[in-house]
């Protein structure tokens, strides 16, 4: 099952290929990511000290997901709203 979501009307798309910076990868931050053909939206839960991967509580009751930062492209986050 894919975690496809529609972006909220207020959300501003981040510039294409925007890096996942420490400010964005902050626990509690709401974000939407592109992972290949999948879009995942949720709340950052924890981040590895080297920021190589992080955990997100996915929206829609899809549970907690570990994401490899190299595989993710930022679509929106609380800083771009």
């Amino acid at each position: 099952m894919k975690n496809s979501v529609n972006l909220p009307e207020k959300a501003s798309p981040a510039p294409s290929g925007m890096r996942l910076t420490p400010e964005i990868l902050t626990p509690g931050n709401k974000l939407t990511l592109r992972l290949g053909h999948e879009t995942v939206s949720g709340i950052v839960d924890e981040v590895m000290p080297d920021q190589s991967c992080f955990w997100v509580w996915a929206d829609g009751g899809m549970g907690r997901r570990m994401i490899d930062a190299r595989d993710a492209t930022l679509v929106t986050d609380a800083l771009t709203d």
Side-chain angles (χ1 to χ4, degrees):
M1 180 187 254
K2 290 187 177 183
N3 290 339
S4 296
V5 297
N6 293 323
L7 296 177
E9 289 181 29
K10 290 176 41 175
S12 304
S16 180
M18 186 167 177
R19 292 183 49 217
L20 296 171
T21 64
E23 293 79 22
I24 293 168
L25 290 180
T26 299
N29 194 14
K30 170 88 173 148
L31 46 73
T32 301
L33 303 168
R34 172 73 67 190
L35 300 169
H37 297 290
E38 181 181 18
T39 302
V40 175
S41 183
I43 304 289
V44 176
D45 183 39
E46 291 188 55
V47 182
M48 291 291 292
D50 65 359
Q51 297 179 345
S52 60
C53 69
F54 55 99
W55 288 262
V56 171
W57 281 107
D59 291 346
M62 299 305 294
R64 187 174 184 246
R65 294 195 50 183
M66 184 181 87
I67 298 172
D68 186 321
R70 296 173 297 180
D71 297 337
T73 301
L74 181 67
V75 177
T76 63
D77 71 284
L79 300 175
T80 61
D81 281 351

